[in-house]
Amino acid sequence: MYLVANIDQEICAATSCKLCTQYCPEANTIQYDTELGKDKGFKYGSAYVAVDRCKGCAQCVWVCDNMAKHKAIKMEMIDQIGDQALTENISYHGKTTQAVLASPWKS
Amino acid sequence: MSLDYVKFTPGFGKFMPKEYRDMVEAGPFGKKTTVSQVGTFKEILEEHPMCAGCAMTLFIRLAIIAFPNPEDTITVGTAGCGRLAISQAAIPFVYGNYGDQNGVASGLSRGLRLRFGDRPKDVVVMAGDGGMADIGFAQTLHSWFRKEKFTTIMLDNEVYGNTGGQESGMTNKGQVLKMAPLGKKFEKMDMLGMAKVAGCAYVATVVPNNPRRVESVIKKAVLIAREVGPTYIQAYTSCNIEYAIPTDQVLQDCKDVENDRYKFTEYLTDEAKEHLATLYGYKEYLPKPAAALTKG
């Protein structure tokens, strides 16, 4: 098993700083969905991780803890996290992306 | 080289991989995309085999996002870590033999100017400190003395990271590495000074822990290189393997090194300032009104 980044959508959707999307060394790995938090009543959308591209370097954790000071990202084992995004389930809609979250482990 | 080269042959789109379809439909070609929009469009860079948490990858990703016209850009590289990521992007990449990347780029840049005339076609060289300051040193400096109009970006990780940790000309004095057990005996080469002496129109140092600054530096360098002269960017992109930096501390290291010896510096010639102000609307370089006039 290996670690991947997991973004807490409740913290992310309350602040929406988008810093982690800019500091990830992998392309199209931390994406942004403007609708992800709104159905739960939050003001903004949330960032999410395409777990099939994440190499587990934890730079986003440092950025979220030390630069944004939100502490929304944790490294977790891929078989123990809940529903996540995979590249094949992400679609692009102009100013946002949309991800169908599913368990990466069971599929 | 045009927007058409990224599109599918009609009828074949459904057979293409998802990443390719996303690139055509939601990529940055022909649009103005900025670093602040990252995460909402398909990036030109794809998955690549570079180490987890590499600061060089972060810089390359930001640089490719920042190209002013990605559909009209060709990148040139050489042996070293950087080419592993630069070659995995949806823009043409030319691989020079070790050290001749600036020679290849000179010919390419002249050829594109002959073929396309005034239409901007950007050539961007991205190579490591070994390819540029040691083995390709003569070709790099000669291309600047000849005033070849293209951008040169040094990915300075201060070590030969790909071959096991030998010292390079850009390693700091006294640095002990796996293949330099006695420590380096001489100072880090002053490539910035040499670039200014050789006549570069724009010289800058940058560290990838400020994405918007990286974007602004790359945009200025590419725009100036279109008409004014050679431009040079030296970017600190640490090697977390050879310098044993934990991957979650890479950005802290970038911050420390920026405060210590890699402060942001920017040098423009007057001609370059005028070029940016008149053609591309950079307000900070517009000539300032004389003091007497503003007082009156």
Side-chain angles (χ1 to χ4, degrees), chain B residues 33-286:
Chain B
T33 47
T34 62
V35 165
S36 53
Q37 295 167 342
V38 154
T40 59
F41 62 90
K42 177 83 181 86
E43 288 171 43
I44 293 172
L45 187 66
E46 250 302 320
E47 282 186 296
H48 52 75
M50 287 177 77
C51 307
C54 179
M56 188 184 283
T57 326
L58 174 58
F59 179 82
I60 291 169
R61 175 175 178 243
L62 295 171
I64 289 179
I65 291 167
F67 287 160
N69 289 36
E71 66 277 10
D72 292 324
T73 305
I74 294 184
T75 50
V76 184
T78 190
C81 296
R83 53 91 204 238
L84 295 169
I86 305 163
S87 56
Q88 305 301 318
I91 47 178
F93 170 73
V94 179
Y95 183 80
N97 281 329
Y98 205 1
D100 73 357
Q101 70 282 352
N102 278 48
V104 170
S106 302
L108 200 55
S109 163
R110 289 186 198 180
L112 289 171
R113 267 164 233 280
L114 283 175
R115 167 68 180 80
F116 293 101
D118 292 338
R119 276 155 63 197
K121 301 286 171 188
D122 305 319
V123 178
V124 180
V125 174
M126 275 200 260
D129 50 325
M132 206 160 271
D134 293 354
I135 297 161
F137 184 62
Q139 302 225 10
T140 305
L141 230 60
H142 263 271
S143 75
W144 292 343
F145 277 117
R146 289 198 305 269
K147 303 281 186 289
E148 300 286 354
K149 290 172 187 163
F150 61 85
T151 307
T152 308
I153 301 172
M154 182 198 279
L155 308 165
D156 179 15
N157 58 3
E158 304 183 328
V159 67
Y160 282 86
N162 218 349
T163 50
Q166 293 84 359
E167 66 175 47
S168 81
M170 301 298 284
T171 307
N172 287 299
K173 190 181 181 184
Q175 181 67 47
V176 175
L177 294 158
K178 282 179 200 159
M179 296 278 181
L182 298 177
K184 197 186 170 199
K185 295 279 194 297
F186 57 96
E187 299 284 343
K188 184 180 173 104
M189 287 165 69
D190 182 13
M191 286 295 280
L192 296 165
M194 280 185 278
K196 287 174 196 167
V197 169
C200 284
Y202 180 81
V203 180
T205 49
V206 73
V207 168
N209 69 353
N210 191 337
R212 293 197 184 186
R213 185 179 282 163
V214 173
E215 183 185 29
S216 126
V217 162
I218 301 270
K219 277 211 161 71
K220 281 182 200 165
V222 172
L223 294 176
I224 290 170
R226 280 182 185 169
E227 281 178 35
V228 183
T231 55
Y232 174 60
I233 296 169
Q234 188 174 310
Y236 174 73
T237 55
S238 63
C239 180
N240 55 318
I241 303 294
E242 296 303 333
Y243 280 82
I245 308 164
T247 52
D248 60 345
Q249 294 299 314
V250 164
L251 289 168
Q252 178 68 49
D253 170 73
C254 282
K255 206 175 163 187
D256 295 343
V257 171
E258 186 180 25
N259 292 335
D260 176 34
R261 61 175 192 274
Y262 237 97
K263 290 192 175 56
F264 172 63
T265 57
E266 200 175 34
Y267 159 87
L268 294 90
T269 59
D270 291 339
E271 197 187 350
K273 283 181 190 168
E274 195 189 327
H275 176 74
L276 285 183
T278 52
L279 274 180
Y280 300 104
Y282 277 77
K283 283 179 189 152
E284 64 267 41
Y285 301 124
L286 283 172

Side-chain angles (χ1 to χ4, degrees), chain A residues 8-105:
Chain A
D8 187 330
Q9 283 165 14
E10 295 191 2
I11 304 176
C12 190
T15 53
S16 182
C17 66
K18 301 186 189 177
L19 272 183
C20 53
T21 62
Q22 299 177 12
Y23 282 91
C24 179
E26 303 297 313
N28 287 117
T29 301
I30 303 186
Q31 302 272 68
Y32 193 79
D33 186 340
T34 49
E35 301 298 320
L36 205 56
K38 284 183 183 166
D39 53 346
K40 290 174 194 156
F42 290 103
K43 195 177 173 189
Y44 305 105
S46 169
Y48 60 91
V49 179
V51 287
D52 51 341
R53 287 180 172 235
C54 179
K55 286 182 181 170
C57 68
Q59 274 189 26
C60 51
V61 178
W62 188 89
V63 166
C64 199
D65 289 357
N66 294 286
M67 293 178 92
K69 302 198 190 302
H70 294 146
K71 300 194 192 307
I73 311 181
K74 300 270 182 299
M75 299 306 291
E76 290 182 28
M77 285 290 170
I78 189 153
D79 62 338
Q80 290 167 13
I81 51 177
D83 289 352
Q84 295 292 317
L86 293 171
T87 301
E88 62 190 38
N89 296 332
I90 295 171
S91 53
Y92 295 85
H93 304 278
K95 289 180 178 169
T96 181
T97 64
Q98 201 173 13
V100 180
L101 302 185
S103 171
W105 188 242

